[in-house]
Amino acid sequence: MVASDSFAEFLGEQLAALGHISFRRMFGKTGVFCDGLMFGMVTENTLYFRVDDDNRATFKEAEAYPPLNYSKQGASIDLSFWRAPERLFDEPDELIAWARAALAAASRIAAKRQRPAPKRKAKSKSPAS
């Protein structure tokens, strides 16, 4: 289920310090973007932040909740988005710190995807005899 308009507006206000915050509905959820980079997702008005190996320790508290997932062919596929604790909405500075960590993870993931593929060496032709 996607984010309600009021929840998206609330998040936009809370996260405005990061940059231009936008939302896009995707896969039955709502992607949360900062300057075009997706660092969060919302489902059922619950915020999830992007997690990778470098920020996992920052989000240790979020391990208490199940990660965002979806079902595929009867199996549950966990996504790299962890639920933001509700208390963060009462602690704006900490919410921004978590959001910055998620944005950094999103940036690292995007950079890995944009790396050019290794160039293949051209096969050298053997000289004609």
Side-chain angles (χ1 to χ4, degrees):
M1 177 173 223
V2 297
S4 68
D5 290 342
S6 61
F7 190 68
E9 183 178 335
F10 170 74
L11 281 180
E13 291 169 1
Q14 296 296 307
L15 300 173
L18 295 175
H20 175 71
I21 302 298
S22 60
F23 302 90
R24 185 170 51 206
R25 292 179 181 197
M26 48 198 322
F27 313 114
K29 297 167 181 41
T30 302
V32 183
F33 295 80
C34 179
D35 300 324
L37 193 59
M38 189 170 77
F39 70 100
M41 291 202 79
V42 175
T43 185
E44 298 179 12
N45 288 340
T46 301
L47 175 63
Y48 292 80
F49 283 127
R50 169 70 81 180
V51 177
D52 70 358
D53 290 338
D54 291 347
N55 73 354
R56 204 171 299 275
T58 302
F59 294 159
K60 189 78 173 153
E61 179 182 347
E63 284 183 325
Y65 306 102
L68 191 59
N69 59 45
Y70 68 95
S71 294
K72 183 176 182 181
Q73 297 177 343
S76 179
I77 309 296
D78 289 337
L79 302 174
S80 296
F81 289 89
W82 288 4
R83 183 176 171 180
E86 294 285 325
R87 69 171 185 77
L88 292 179
F89 296 112
D90 294 326
E91 300 174 28
D93 291 339
E94 195 169 355
L95 175 65
I96 290 296
W98 278 56
R100 286 189 200 285
L103 188 56
S107 181
R108 287 187 294 270
I109 290 165
K112 286 179 185 176
R113 289 181 181 153
Q114 292 176 357
R115 286 188 187 149
K119 293 183 179 177
R120 294 183 181 179
K121 293 182 181 178
K123 292 183 180 179
S124 59
K125 294 181 181 178
S126 54
S129 314

